Amino acid sequence: TGKRAPPAAPAFQKEVTTGPLPDMISPNPDCTKLAVANEGEGVYDDVAGLIDPAGSMSIVTDLSADTPTVTTVSFSGLGTDTELINMGVHLPLSLDAMEYWDDHSVLNTSLDFTTARATYSPAMNLEPEYLAWSAAG
């Protein structure tokens, strides 16, 4: 049986910029790196329409440096909508769904997906909430 020392109260160390809407932060097993889930969840703006950045994850290293190193992993190369769906990935608002809303919905006069459709990538639907490290870190 091991006893865990009581954790110290959290204290601000430094600010690091990662990807859009960082959600979960997890240290690796030896606390030398941080993994950050950048959810990139979309928001609807009455002027600009749907703004939906791509989800990603970032690894932060050199934590003791004045400016830690941030490496962001993009999900943009993981496949097309069709390829992802065929792999069993749920896409909550695929390009086809946006086209349907714009072209056929009774709400198309109040919802505008034009900008989101023009800049669409499947990575916009890949919004990591959680992440974990392997035992190897």
Side-chain angles (χ1 to χ4, degrees):
T1 303
K3 290 187 178 181
R4 181 180 173 149
F12 178 81
Q13 298 295 310
K14 59 189 74 169
E15 186 172 315
V16 177
T17 301
T18 60
L21 192 61
D23 201 353
M24 180 181 180
I25 300 171
S26 178
N28 69 333
D30 65 1
C31 295
T32 59
K33 301 174 188 172
L34 296 174
V36 181
N38 302 312
E39 186 175 359
E41 185 174 286
V43 294
Y44 191 83
D45 180 87
D46 288 335
V47 176
L50 178 65
I51 301 165
D52 194 0
S56 62
M57 68 164 292
S58 297
I59 304 293
V60 183
T61 57
D62 303 321
L63 300 175
S64 60
D66 288 339
T67 306
T69 301
V70 177
T71 304
T72 299
V73 178
S74 168
F75 297 152
S76 62
L78 295 179
T80 65
D81 281 2
T82 301
E83 291 168 335
L84 291 168
I85 290 167
N86 287 341
M87 288 187 275
V89 176
H90 171 69
L91 301 178
L93 191 58
S94 66
L95 184 57
D96 286 346
M98 280 192 235
E99 289 171 353
Y100 177 85
W101 277 95
D102 271 349
D103 298 342
H104 304 289
S105 173
V106 296
L107 300 175
N108 67 358
T109 56
S110 28
L111 293 176
D112 181 10
F113 292 136
T114 305
T115 302
R117 285 172 61 180
T119 60
Y120 180 83
S121 81
M124 292 166 59
N125 279 289
L126 303 175
E127 302 174 346
E129 300 269 347
Y130 306 103
L131 40 75
W133 289 92
S134 70

